[in-house]
Structure formats: C-alpha cells, structure tokens
Amino acid sequence: DAVTGGFNADGFYSAVKPLLGSAHPQYALVTAKISNFLQIQQTFGQTDRVLVHTHQTLKTVLSSAEPVGRIGGNTFCFLMKNRDEGALIARLQRICESINSFNDARTLPFRLELRFGIYLPTDYTEEPAQMQHKAESALVQNPSPFCFYRADADEAFAAKWELVEQMERSLKEDDFVVYLQPKVRIGDTRIVGAEALIRWRHPRRGMLVPELFIPPLEEYHMMPRVDRHLFEIVCKKLVD
C-alpha cells in the first residue's frame, strides 16, 4: 500500500488465504472503517497521517498470525484469532483505545471513531475477498460500532435494496397506483371527500401495501419522489 507501506487489498488476501485454509475454524475476519474520516479531512487535512497511524497501531496490537491491510480509502481489514463474539468485541474496544491513545498528549483531544464489521467464516473455500465483502456488508446491515454478519440480515438488506433500485423504473412505468377511499358524512351519509391510498404494483412481488415499501424508501430519502407522483395522480383524477 503506497500510503501505509503495509498490505494493500491483493497483498492482504494473499497473506490470509493460507491461514484460512485450516479445517478447524479459528479466525474472524474484521473490516474496520474510520467513520469520521471526512470530518478529519475537512478539518485537519492530515488523512495520510491518520491512515499510517491506524495501520501502525493495528500492526502493533495484532499478532504475527493476524495479518492486516488497507483495502482502500479509510477501510482496513484484518484477521483475529478468536470466534467468541463477546471476546472479539472486548478486544476491538481495546484496539479503539490504542488507536486513540495519541490524545493523551493533546490539549484538545480528537477521537477517531471506528466501526467494525465482523464475519465468522464457516466455509473456508470462500475467497478472502468475498469474506471481506460480507464483513463490510455487516456495517450496512447494522448501525452499531460492532456489527456481526448475519446471513438472514444480508437477505433482508438485499430485498430492501431491490425495492430501492426498482423505484425509479416503477415511477416511469406507472407501477404506483392510487385508490380513493370515500369519506362519508355521518349526518346525511353524503360522500364529502376521499382519502388517497397508494399501492405498488411491483413487477416481481405483486401488489405491495405501504408498510412494505415506505420504510426502505424513507431510509434512502426517496419518499418525496413517490409523494410527488401521488399528488400528480390525484390532481389528474380531480381534473378528470
């Protein structure tokens, strides 16, 4: 790696492959990200020094049987010779403190915030790059600092992301439909208005109710597009 002098992604994968070839599971593969890296870049502009410091600290606290490399940007990956979740979290917490020990000499401390995605391999025929991808996907599945990869969560995320990706196409193809539910005045039973109810006629999943698609679209800030589409449909119905 041109910045840290340690392994880059390819070097790391080559180094860990023989270690992961054991028939007896003994390693966890961890992806670490500096979550406030952009803030550091904008405030101090010393990103290379931060990367070098993080790498050197990881090299120091990890054993010779636990390789570490920078995968790219502010992302590091390393092996830990332990598979107990509680013990892994405790050790990662100590690693965070070691990385932030530079603050002992600072008048105004600035903490490096790290998040860790952890994958416990069960199939050692997997390529290390695929293992790293799973460890990194755990960071997307879970907002906590220490995120363990769960296959069921990965499937749920894939299903959620498929909705997000399909939304734009569905807007263009009028897959979102509106039903008007009448509002009746009790006094004289006259219809005095209507509530617009939206449904998604998904090309693969069939008719979806709002409870299934609004939460993921809100999470990715895409609901305003759907809201505008709903307003346009209702206005056209009023004109007609």
Side-chain angles (χ1 to χ4, degrees), residues 12-13 28-35 54 58 62 67-80 88 92 95-96 114-120 128-140 144-149:
F12 174 75
Y13 298 146
L29 188 141
V30 182
T31 290
K33 279 184 176 288
I34 304 171
S35 55
T54 302
L58 289 170
L62 296 169
V68 58
R70 187 172 75 102
I71 303 303
N74 61 330
T75 302
F76 294 86
C77 196
F78 51 91
L79 290 186
M80 294 181 71
L88 286 168
L92 290 171
I95 287 174
C96 282
L114 287 97
R115 296 183 65 230
F116 301 92
I118 306 143
Y119 177 53
L120 304 177
Q130 181 64 20
M131 295 183 185
Q132 191 277 328
H133 172 74
K134 289 182 176 179
E136 189 158 0
S137 73
L139 295 172
V140 181
S144 71
F146 309 101
C147 317
F148 287 86
Y149 172 82

Side-chain angles (χ1 to χ4, degrees), residues 125-164:
T125 63
E126 271 188 297
E127 288 297 319
Q130 181 64 20
M131 295 183 185
Q132 191 277 328
H133 172 74
K134 289 182 176 179
E136 189 158 0
S137 73
L139 295 172
V140 181
Q141 297 170 0
N142 191 326
S144 71
F146 309 101
C147 317
F148 287 86
Y149 172 82
R150 312 290 186 200
D152 54 349
D154 202 31
E155 292 169 4
F157 173 75
K160 178 171 65 175
W161 185 249
E162 190 272 336
L163 288 177
V164 172

